[in-house]
Amino acid sequence: MASDREIPDVPATPDARDRPRVGVDDWVAEVEERRARYTGVSGLVRRGLAYVPAPARLAAFAALGATLPLWMNRGDIFVYGIVTLVYLLLALGLNVVVGYAGLLDLGYIAVFGFGAYLYAELSSEQYGLHWPATVSIPIVVVSAAVLGLVLGIPSRRLLGDYLAIVTLFFGQAFVVFTNAAGSNVAGQDVTGGPNGIADIDPLSFFGYELTTRTQQYYFLLGAVVVVLAALYFLSESRTGRAWRALREDPLAAEAMSMPVNRLKLLAFMFGAGIAGLAGCIFAAVLTAVTPGNFDLPLLITIYAIVILGGLGSLTGVVLGAIVINVSFQFLAPENPQDNARILFYAVIVLLLVLGLRPWWRLGAVLAGAVVLGVATVAIMEALAPSWSGGAVVEGGRLAGVVEDWVLIPQGHGRFGDWAYVGLVAAILALTLLRGWVRTVALVPTIYLAAIVWENSFVEQPAVARWILFGSLLVFLMTVRPQGLLGTPRVEIV
Amino acid sequence: VELPLLLEVIDTVRQLGWTGALQLFVNGVTLGSLYALIALGYSMVYGILKLLNFAHGDVYMIGAFIGYGVLTALGGPLSPDLALAPLILLMFLAAMLGAGALGVVIERFAYRPLRDAPRIAPLITALGVSFFLQNSALLLFGAQFRTYNNFLLGSDNPELFEPGPLIQPAFTVSGVNVQTVQILVVSTTVALMVVLTLLVARTRIGKAMRATSYDREAAAMMGIDVDRVIASTFFAGSVLAGAAGVMFGLLYGQVFHFMGFLAGLKGFTAAVVGGIGSIPGAMVGGLLVGLTEAYASGYLGGQWSDLTVFGILIFVLLVRPSGLLGTRAIQKV
């Protein structure tokens, strides 16, 4: 057995996740086996979902959605129901452009804003038009689709990155324009400037006005179901397959005599039309539009939805919209901090459960974090009382536990900021570590995350959620670019 | 037919006269130097990785805040502990090194894992990084404007506006004022560009950069440490962005967490107008964008200047996608 020792550092079985997947032929060859090998709970869910046919999934979604007003109060229907559905509608449109056709459109929100503003111009006191939604919605949807076409015509020659930047400029130009065109464009007030347009008419069809939240919710749900069904048929159609071919390899698609330019324009038009529809409903439900509604944060939110759910997967987009909006609302400043706190710790535990195997390692890490916290608080209380004993922001079910576990100093103003910088550094360092060192390093990182939450994020949940969304995009792109339910893309080089 | 807008513009042009036009030229050149510095970072990274680094504008913002931090640590803007010249030098050095380090960290942790991924992945990552940096700055530094230039005022009392040594006119030629800080910004920019040009043209690492940008795989086969070359490219680009951040603070007196986004877009416009991947192109593009912005805000009003710049970008992309000084990319299959 001495010969074994003479070979220095034979690498052990390489961690499969660390190997580059792109261009590795055996990885490509094994893809079917890997799909069949989904194990555990996630495998069960995945295979279960695959057995449910798409119409049944849609029916289940519609039925569940329809029960929402029965067990939610009026405010929650708006925040959790209507907003989720508007985001979902937007994400579905973006999914056509980015998910199916693979065109990175960063000006998408501008088309949404265009739809909302056009509806506001047609159905409000701005020009005294007051057209009913029966007339204005078709006009807006068609004009939004035409806008998509107009945007697409010059962009069709541009390759991926240039397309992204031109559309990003278009999005920014829209915000600048709506802000600037308020006071006077040749003596006319077009967009109301930074204050936007207020007192927009509710949606009205043949004299019947949708004024209550419940009515609006059901209308929106109906629109989403129709769009979902249409997109399902579209994605299974010849055009849908052509889009996917275009996404995977534009050059090969062109060589196969696909009308690449026309396909791109079609994708832009579909996405823009859906965005226009979402814009109408958004303007009518909110009864006001301002330029600030259509800025970068919304773009990031919609991208987070599409990417979390999985580019190109309708079920994924639905799940993504629900997950993102619910966590978004939990982190809203007006929401009780307790919900946000529970969500934060639950997500950490969930990530650990998904990422740590075997189970005893998970148990050890969690126990280590608890012991570390209690010990730190006890030691600091004995040594430097000013460094502990700060009040937990807002009570609630977890507050009592948190007080004994997380270090909250009194009157050290920048403590939370430094902890945040430390946390970012710690997470980056974690990605460099491997094996048991990583597991051990996980313990203080978790505790640091708790400290950052209780000292810094809890005061500014609105900022915290943008930070978390930005990190989510980076994290997903590195770890799981296909999202929750997307199919991994295989690039054969 | 009445054209009130056009008449208004003509009226403004007449009112400002030649002196006004020259003053706008001076302001535009100063602004253009800033954009040129930002554009260089975009251009270098794009040249080597074919990646649009959306986070570049936010590196510039972080640079501005590092400069502010040094200023605050050394006694604050009202009564700095150091004389003006060493203080400004220190601010520049800290911001450049800090921004450079940030650029390397971003490359290492966000972009390197995606180097062979489909092209949409690093773009979305870049968007995420940009958003992350903006909001981290909002969390750490707050939403309010931070004032750089009280120490530029001659007096401790900000109510008494006495122009300090930096914003006093260094000289006046027939009514056109040239401030000391404008001379400082333009000369620093020129110096940095000369250094960068020499770095790329004359040194070993510059040669490696050019080789890597020409063909990464072939460069790797020739024994070039591609990872190191890419990291140094990010470092160089971010150093320039950090310097530009401090310059912005000195010029306009205020920094805030969202300043990187628009500046990044304009820097990118400069890079594209000049021809992305080309260093002299970035300089020309920066000047063009800066002059456009200065004249547009002088003649049309500040709220239209951004739209004018975006219009130029879209026009150039449609008419000459490779930019003024760029070479047309030939796609090989």
Side-chain angles (χ1 to χ4, degrees), chain B residues 30-106:
Chain B
T30 321
L31 197 57
S33 331
L34 276 187
Y35 292 148
L37 281 184
I38 303 175
L40 281 173
Y42 270 114
S43 222
M44 290 171 70
V45 167
Y46 191 87
I48 210 158
L49 276 186
K50 302 283 172 287
L51 163 73
L52 284 185
N53 182 12
F54 287 123
H56 192 63
D58 299 291
V59 171
Y60 152 86
M61 176 268 297
I62 297 285
F65 270 104
I66 294 175
Y68 173 77
V70 171
L71 184 60
T72 324
L74 292 174
L78 282 177
S79 52
D81 296 339
L82 289 176
L84 206 54
L87 177 65
I88 289 178
L89 187 68
L90 212 59
M91 283 161 70
F92 267 112
L93 279 182
M96 286 159 78
L97 287 180
L102 179 65
V104 173
V105 168
I106 292 174

Coordinates of all heavy atoms in Angstrom, one line a residue, chain B residues 30-106:
Chain B
T30 N -14.7 70.3 -19.1 CA -14.5 69.8 -17.7 C -15.4 68.5 -17.5 O -14.9 67.5 -17.0 CB -14.8 70.8 -16.7 OG1 -14.4 72.1 -17.1 CG2 -14.2 70.5 -15.3
L31 N -16.6 68.7 -17.8 CA -17.6 67.6 -17.6 C -17.2 66.4 -18.5 O -17.2 65.2 -18.1 CB -19.0 68.1 -18.0 CG -20.2 67.2 -17.6 CD1 -20.2 67.1 -16.1 CD2 -21.4 67.9 -18.0
G32 N -16.7 66.7 -19.7 CA -16.3 65.7 -20.6 C -15.1 64.9 -20.1 O -15.0 63.7 -20.3
S33 N -14.2 65.5 -19.4 CA -13.1 64.8 -18.8 C -13.6 63.7 -17.8 O -13.1 62.6 -17.8 CB -12.1 65.7 -18.1 OG -12.1 66.9 -18.6
L34 N -14.6 64.1 -17.0 CA -15.2 63.1 -16.1 C -15.7 61.9 -16.9 O -15.4 60.8 -16.6 CB -16.4 63.8 -15.4 CG -16.1 64.6 -14.1 CD1 -17.4 65.0 -13.5 CD2 -15.3 63.8 -13.2
Y35 N -16.5 62.2 -17.9 CA -17.2 61.1 -18.6 C -16.1 60.3 -19.3 O -16.2 59.1 -19.4 CB -18.2 61.7 -19.6 CG -19.4 62.3 -19.0 CD1 -20.0 63.4 -19.5 CD2 -19.8 61.8 -17.8 CE1 -21.1 63.9 -18.9 CE2 -20.9 62.4 -17.1 CZ -21.6 63.4 -17.7 OH -22.7 64.0 -17.1
A36 N -15.1 60.9 -19.8 CA -14.0 60.2 -20.5 C -13.4 59.2 -19.5 O -13.1 58.0 -19.9 CB -13.0 61.1 -21.1
L37 N -13.1 59.6 -18.3 CA -12.5 58.7 -17.3 C -13.4 57.5 -17.1 O -13.0 56.4 -17.0 CB -12.2 59.4 -16.0 CG -11.0 60.3 -16.0 CD1 -10.8 60.9 -14.6 CD2 -9.8 59.5 -16.4
I38 N -14.7 57.8 -16.9 CA -15.7 56.7 -16.7 C -15.7 55.8 -17.9 O -15.7 54.6 -17.8 CB -17.1 57.2 -16.3 CG1 -17.0 58.1 -15.1 CG2 -18.0 56.1 -16.1 CD1 -18.3 58.8 -14.8
A39 N -15.7 56.4 -19.1 CA -15.9 55.7 -20.3 C -14.7 54.7 -20.5 O -14.9 53.6 -21.0 CB -15.9 56.6 -21.5
L40 N -13.5 55.1 -20.0 CA -12.3 54.2 -20.2 C -12.5 52.9 -19.5 O -12.2 51.9 -20.0 CB -11.1 55.0 -19.7 CG -10.5 56.0 -20.6 CD1 -9.4 56.7 -19.9 CD2 -10.0 55.2 -21.8
G41 N -13.1 53.0 -18.3 CA -13.3 51.8 -17.5 C -14.3 50.8 -18.3 O -14.0 49.6 -18.4
Y42 N -15.4 51.4 -18.8 CA -16.3 50.6 -19.6 C -15.6 49.9 -20.8 O -15.7 48.8 -21.1 CB -17.4 51.5 -20.1 CG -18.6 51.6 -19.2 CD1 -19.0 52.8 -18.7 CD2 -19.4 50.5 -19.0 CE1 -20.1 52.9 -17.8 CE2 -20.5 50.6 -18.2 CZ -20.8 51.8 -17.6 OH -21.9 51.9 -16.8
S43 N -14.9 50.8 -21.5 CA -14.2 50.4 -22.7 C -13.2 49.3 -22.5 O -13.2 48.3 -23.2 CB -13.5 51.6 -23.3 OG -13.8 51.7 -24.6
M44 N -12.4 49.4 -21.5 CA -11.4 48.4 -21.2 C -12.0 47.1 -20.9 O -11.6 46.0 -21.4 CB -10.4 48.9 -20.1 CG -9.6 50.0 -20.5 SD -8.7 50.7 -19.1 CE -7.5 49.4 -18.7
V45 N -13.0 47.1 -20.0 CA -13.6 45.9 -19.6 C -14.4 45.3 -20.8 O -14.3 44.0 -21.0 CB -14.6 46.1 -18.4 CG1 -15.5 44.9 -18.2 CG2 -13.8 46.4 -17.2
Y46 N -15.0 46.1 -21.6 CA -15.7 45.5 -22.7 C -14.7 44.9 -23.7 O -15.0 43.9 -24.3 CB -16.6 46.6 -23.4 CG -17.5 46.0 -24.4 CD1 -18.8 45.5 -24.0 CD2 -17.1 45.8 -25.7 CE1 -19.6 44.9 -24.9 CE2 -18.0 45.2 -26.6 CZ -19.2 44.7 -26.2 OH -20.0 44.1 -27.1
G47 N -13.6 45.6 -23.9 CA -12.7 45.2 -24.8 C -12.1 43.8 -24.5 O -11.9 43.0 -25.3
I48 N -12.0 43.5 -23.2 CA -11.3 42.3 -22.8 C -12.3 41.2 -22.5 O -12.0 40.0 -22.7 CB -10.4 42.6 -21.6 CG1 -9.2 41.6 -21.6 CG2 -11.2 42.5 -20.3 CD1 -8.1 42.2 -20.8
L49 N -13.5 41.5 -22.0 CA -14.5 40.4 -21.6 C -15.7 40.5 -22.4 O -16.5 39.6 -22.3 CB -14.9 40.6 -20.1 CG -14.0 40.1 -19.1 CD1 -14.7 40.2 -17.7 CD2 -13.8 38.6 -19.3
K50 N -15.9 41.5 -23.3 CA -17.2 41.7 -24.0 C -18.3 41.7 -23.0 O -19.4 41.1 -23.2 CB -17.4 40.6 -25.0 CG -16.3 40.4 -26.1 CD -16.4 41.5 -27.1 CE -15.2 41.5 -28.0 NZ -14.0 42.0 -27.4
L51 N -18.1 42.4 -21.9 CA -19.1 42.4 -20.8 C -19.5 43.9 -20.6 O -18.6 44.7 -20.4 CB -18.6 41.8 -19.6 CG -19.4 42.2 -18.3 CD1 -20.7 41.5 -18.2 CD2 -18.6 41.8 -17.1
L52 N -20.7 44.2 -20.5 CA -21.2 45.6 -20.1 C -21.2 45.6 -18.6 O -22.1 45.0 -18.0 CB -22.6 45.9 -20.7 CG -22.6 46.2 -22.1 CD1 -24.1 46.6 -22.4 CD2 -21.7 47.3 -22.4
N53 N -20.3 46.3 -18.0 CA -20.2 46.3 -16.6 C -21.1 47.4 -16.0 O -20.7 48.5 -15.7 CB -18.8 46.5 -16.2 CG -18.6 46.5 -14.7 OD1 -19.5 46.1 -14.0 ND2 -17.4 46.8 -14.2
F54 N -22.4 47.1 -15.9 CA -23.3 48.2 -15.4 C -22.9 48.7 -14.0 O -23.3 49.8 -13.6 CB -24.8 47.6 -15.2 CG -25.4 47.3 -16.5 CD1 -25.9 46.1 -16.8 CD2 -25.6 48.4 -17.4 CE1 -26.6 45.9 -18.0 CE2 -26.3 48.1 -18.6 CZ -26.7 46.9 -18.9
A55 N -22.2 47.9 -13.3 CA -21.8 48.3 -11.9 C -20.7 49.4 -11.9 O -20.4 49.9 -10.9 CB -21.4 47.1 -11.1
H56 N -20.2 49.7 -13.1 CA -19.1 50.6 -13.2 C -19.4 52.0 -12.6 O -18.7 52.6 -11.9 CB -18.6 50.7 -14.6 CG -17.3 51.4 -14.7 ND1 -16.1 50.9 -14.2 CD2 -16.9 52.6 -15.3 CE1 -15.1 51.8 -14.4 NE2 -15.6 52.8 -15.2
G57 N -20.6 52.5 -13.0 CA -21.1 53.8 -12.5 C -21.1 53.8 -11.0 O -20.9 54.8 -10.3
D58 N -21.5 52.7 -10.4 CA -21.6 52.7 -8.9 C -20.2 52.6 -8.2 O -20.0 53.0 -7.1 CB -22.5 51.5 -8.5 CG -23.8 51.7 -9.1 OD1 -24.6 52.6 -8.7 OD2 -24.2 51.0 -10.0
V59 N -19.2 52.0 -9.0 CA -17.8 52.1 -8.5 C -17.4 53.5 -8.4 O -16.8 54.0 -7.4 CB -16.9 51.3 -9.4 CG1 -15.5 51.5 -9.0 CG2 -17.3 49.8 -9.3
Y60 N -17.8 54.3 -9.4 CA -17.5 55.7 -9.4 C -18.1 56.4 -8.2 O -17.5 57.2 -7.5 CB -18.0 56.3 -10.7 CG -18.4 57.7 -10.8 CD1 -17.5 58.7 -11.1 CD2 -19.8 58.0 -10.7 CE1 -18.0 60.0 -11.3 CE2 -20.2 59.3 -10.9 CZ -19.3 60.3 -11.1 OH -19.7 61.6 -11.3
M61 N -19.4 56.0 -7.9 CA -20.1 56.6 -6.8 C -19.4 56.3 -5.5 O -19.2 57.1 -4.6 CB -21.5 56.1 -6.8 CG -22.4 56.5 -5.6 SD -22.4 55.3 -4.2 CE -23.0 53.8 -5.0
I62 N -18.9 55.0 -5.3 CA -18.2 54.6 -4.1 C -16.9 55.4 -4.0 O -16.5 55.8 -2.9 CB -18.0 53.1 -4.1 CG1 -19.3 52.3 -4.1 CG2 -17.1 52.7 -2.9 CD1 -20.0 52.3 -2.8
G63 N -16.3 55.6 -5.1 CA -15.0 56.4 -5.1 C -15.3 57.8 -4.5 O -14.6 58.3 -3.7
A64 N -16.4 58.4 -5.0 CA -16.8 59.8 -4.5 C -17.0 59.7 -3.0 O -16.6 60.6 -2.3 CB -18.0 60.3 -5.2
F65 N -17.6 58.6 -2.5 CA -17.9 58.6 -1.1 C -16.6 58.3 -0.3 O -16.5 58.7 0.9 CB -18.9 57.5 -0.8 CG -20.3 58.0 -0.8 CD1 -21.2 57.8 -1.8 CD2 -20.8 58.8 0.3 CE1 -22.4 58.3 -1.8 CE2 -22.0 59.3 0.3 CZ -22.9 59.1 -0.8
I66 N -15.6 57.5 -0.9 CA -14.4 57.3 -0.2 C -13.7 58.7 0.0 O -13.1 59.0 1.1 CB -13.5 56.3 -0.9 CG1 -14.1 55.0 -0.9 CG2 -12.1 56.3 -0.3 CD1 -13.4 53.9 -1.7
G67 N -13.7 59.5 -1.1 CA -13.1 60.8 -1.0 C -13.8 61.6 0.1 O -13.1 62.3 0.9
Y68 N -15.1 61.5 0.2 CA -15.8 62.2 1.2 C -15.4 61.7 2.6 O -15.2 62.5 3.6 CB -17.3 62.0 1.0 CG -18.2 62.6 2.1 CD1 -18.4 64.0 2.3 CD2 -18.7 61.7 3.1 CE1 -19.1 64.5 3.3 CE2 -19.5 62.2 4.1 CZ -19.7 63.6 4.2 OH -20.4 64.1 5.3
G69 N -15.2 60.4 2.7 CA -14.8 59.8 4.0 C -13.5 60.3 4.5 O -13.3 60.7 5.6
V70 N -12.5 60.4 3.5 CA -11.2 60.9 3.9 C -11.3 62.4 4.3 O -10.7 62.8 5.4 CB -10.2 60.8 2.7 CG1 -8.9 61.6 2.9 CG2 -10.0 59.4 2.3
L71 N -12.1 63.1 3.6 CA -12.3 64.5 4.0 C -12.9 64.7 5.4 O -12.4 65.5 6.2 CB -13.3 65.2 2.9 CG -13.6 66.6 3.0 CD1 -12.3 67.4 2.9 CD2 -14.5 67.0 2.0
T72 N -13.9 63.8 5.7 CA -14.5 63.9 7.0 C -13.5 63.4 8.1 O -13.5 64.0 9.2 CB -15.8 63.0 7.1 OG1 -16.4 63.1 5.8 CG2 -16.7 63.4 8.1
A73 N -12.8 62.4 7.8 CA -11.8 61.9 8.8 C -10.8 62.9 9.1 O -10.2 62.9 10.2 CB -11.2 60.6 8.3
L74 N -10.4 63.7 8.1 CA -9.4 64.7 8.4 C -9.9 66.0 8.7 O -9.5 67.1 8.2 CB -8.5 64.8 7.1 CG -7.6 63.6 6.8 CD1 -6.9 63.8 5.5 CD2 -6.6 63.4 7.9
G75 N -10.9 66.0 9.6 CA -11.4 67.3 10.2 C -12.6 67.9 9.5 O -13.1 68.9 10.0
G76 N -13.1 67.2 8.5 CA -14.4 67.7 7.9 C -14.1 68.9 6.9 O -13.0 69.5 6.9
P77 N -15.1 69.2 6.1 CA -15.0 70.1 5.0 C -14.8 71.6 5.5 O -14.2 72.4 4.8 CB -16.2 70.0 4.2 CG -17.2 69.3 5.1 CD -16.4 68.5 6.0
L78 N -15.2 71.9 6.7 CA -15.1 73.3 7.2 C -13.7 73.6 7.6 O -13.2 74.7 7.4 CB -16.2 73.5 8.3 CG -17.6 73.7 7.8 CD1 -18.5 73.9 8.9 CD2 -17.7 74.9 6.8
S79 N -13.1 72.7 8.4 CA -11.8 73.1 8.9 C -10.9 71.9 8.8 O -10.6 71.1 9.7 CB -11.9 73.4 10.4 OG -12.6 72.4 11.1
P80 N -10.4 71.6 7.5 CA -9.5 70.4 7.3 C -8.2 70.6 8.1 O -7.7 71.7 8.3 CB -9.3 70.4 5.8 CG -9.7 71.8 5.4 CD -10.7 72.4 6.3
D81 N -7.7 69.4 8.5 CA -6.4 69.4 9.3 C -5.2 69.7 8.4 O -4.2 70.1 8.9 CB -6.3 68.0 10.0 CG -7.3 67.8 11.0 OD1 -8.0 68.8 11.4 OD2 -7.6 66.6 11.3
L82 N -5.4 69.4 7.1 CA -4.2 69.5 6.2 C -4.4 70.7 5.3 O -5.5 71.3 5.2 CB -4.2 68.2 5.3 CG -3.7 66.9 6.0 CD1 -3.8 65.8 5.0 CD2 -2.4 67.1 6.6
A83 N -3.3 71.0 4.7 CA -3.4 72.1 3.6 C -4.2 71.5 2.5 O -4.4 70.3 2.3 CB -2.0 72.5 3.2
L84 N -4.6 72.4 1.6 CA -5.5 72.0 0.5 C -4.9 71.0 -0.4 O -5.5 69.9 -0.7 CB -5.9 73.2 -0.3 CG -7.2 73.1 -1.0 CD1 -8.3 72.7 0.0 CD2 -7.6 74.4 -1.7
A85 N -3.6 71.2 -0.9 CA -3.0 70.4 -1.9 C -2.8 68.9 -1.3 O -3.3 68.0 -2.0 CB -1.7 71.0 -2.3
P86 N -2.2 68.7 -0.2 CA -2.0 67.3 0.3 C -3.4 66.7 0.6 O -3.5 65.5 0.3 CB -1.2 67.4 1.6 CG -1.2 68.9 1.9 CD -1.5 69.6 0.7
L87 N -4.3 67.4 1.0 CA -5.6 66.9 1.3 C -6.3 66.3 0.1 O -6.7 65.1 0.0 CB -6.5 67.9 1.9 CG -8.0 67.5 2.2 CD1 -8.0 66.4 3.3 CD2 -8.8 68.7 2.7
I88 N -6.2 67.1 -1.0 CA -6.9 66.6 -2.2 C -6.1 65.4 -2.8 O -6.7 64.5 -3.3 CB -6.9 67.8 -3.2 CG1 -8.0 68.8 -2.8 CG2 -7.3 67.3 -4.6 CD1 -8.1 70.0 -3.6
L89 N -4.8 65.5 -2.7 CA -4.0 64.4 -3.2 C -4.4 63.1 -2.4 O -4.6 62.0 -3.0 CB -2.5 64.7 -2.9 CG -1.5 63.7 -3.5 CD1 -1.6 63.7 -5.1 CD2 -0.1 63.9 -3.1
L90 N -4.5 63.2 -1.1 CA -4.9 62.1 -0.3 C -6.3 61.5 -0.6 O -6.5 60.3 -0.7 CB -4.9 62.5 1.2 CG -4.4 61.4 2.2 CD1 -3.1 60.9 1.9 CD2 -4.5 62.0 3.6
M91 N -7.2 62.5 -0.9 CA -8.5 62.0 -1.3 C -8.5 61.3 -2.6 O -9.1 60.2 -2.7 CB -9.5 63.3 -1.4 CG -9.9 63.8 -0.1 SD -10.5 65.5 -0.3 CE -12.0 65.3 -1.2
F92 N -7.7 61.8 -3.5 CA -7.6 61.1 -4.8 C -7.0 59.7 -4.6 O -7.6 58.7 -5.1 CB -6.7 61.9 -5.8 CG -7.5 62.8 -6.6 CD1 -7.5 64.2 -6.5 CD2 -8.4 62.3 -7.6 CE1 -8.2 65.0 -7.3 CE2 -9.2 63.1 -8.4 CZ -9.1 64.5 -8.3
L93 N -5.9 59.6 -3.9 CA -5.2 58.3 -3.7 C -6.2 57.3 -3.1 O -6.3 56.2 -3.5 CB -4.0 58.5 -2.8 CG -2.8 59.0 -3.6 CD1 -1.6 59.1 -2.7 CD2 -2.5 58.1 -4.8
A94 N -6.8 57.7 -2.0 CA -7.7 56.8 -1.3 C -8.8 56.3 -2.1 O -9.1 55.1 -2.2 CB -8.2 57.4 0.0
A95 N -9.4 57.3 -2.8 CA -10.6 56.9 -3.7 C -10.2 56.0 -4.8 O -10.9 55.0 -5.1 CB -11.3 58.2 -4.2
M96 N -9.0 56.3 -5.4 CA -8.6 55.5 -6.5 C -8.2 54.0 -6.1 O -8.7 53.1 -6.7 CB -7.3 56.1 -7.2 CG -7.7 57.3 -8.0 SD -6.4 58.5 -8.3 CE -5.5 57.6 -9.6
L97 N -7.5 53.9 -4.9 CA -7.2 52.6 -4.5 C -8.4 51.8 -4.0 O -8.6 50.7 -4.3 CB -6.2 52.7 -3.3 CG -4.8 53.1 -3.8 CD1 -3.8 53.1 -2.6 CD2 -4.2 52.1 -4.8
G98 N -9.3 52.5 -3.3 CA -10.5 51.9 -2.8 C -11.4 51.4 -3.9 O -11.8 50.3 -4.0
A99 N -11.6 52.3 -4.9 CA -12.4 51.9 -6.1 C -11.8 50.8 -6.8 O -12.5 49.8 -7.3 CB -12.7 53.1 -7.0
G100 N -10.5 50.8 -7.0 CA -9.7 49.8 -7.7 C -10.0 48.4 -7.0 O -10.3 47.4 -7.7
A101 N -9.8 48.4 -5.7 CA -10.0 47.2 -4.9 C -11.4 46.7 -5.1 O -11.7 45.5 -5.3 CB -9.7 47.4 -3.4
L102 N -12.4 47.6 -5.1 CA -13.8 47.2 -5.2 C -14.0 46.6 -6.6 O -14.7 45.5 -6.7 CB -14.7 48.4 -5.1 CG -16.2 48.2 -5.2 CD1 -16.7 47.3 -4.1 CD2 -17.0 49.5 -5.2
G103 N -13.4 47.2 -7.6 CA -13.5 46.6 -9.0 C -13.0 45.2 -9.0 O -13.6 44.3 -9.6
V104 N -11.8 45.0 -8.4 CA -11.3 43.6 -8.4 C -12.2 42.6 -7.7 O -12.4 41.5 -8.1 CB -9.8 43.6 -7.8 CG1 -9.3 42.2 -7.6 CG2 -8.9 44.5 -8.6
V105 N -12.7 43.1 -6.5 CA -13.6 42.2 -5.8 C -14.8 41.8 -6.6 O -15.3 40.7 -6.6 CB -14.0 42.9 -4.4 CG1 -15.2 42.1 -3.8 CG2 -12.8 42.9 -3.5
I106 N -15.4 42.8 -7.3 CA -16.6 42.6 -8.1 C -16.3 41.5 -9.2 O -17.0 40.6 -9.4 CB -17.1 43.9 -8.7 CG1 -17.7 44.8 -7.6 CG2 -18.2 43.6 -9.7 CD1 -18.1 46.1 -8.2

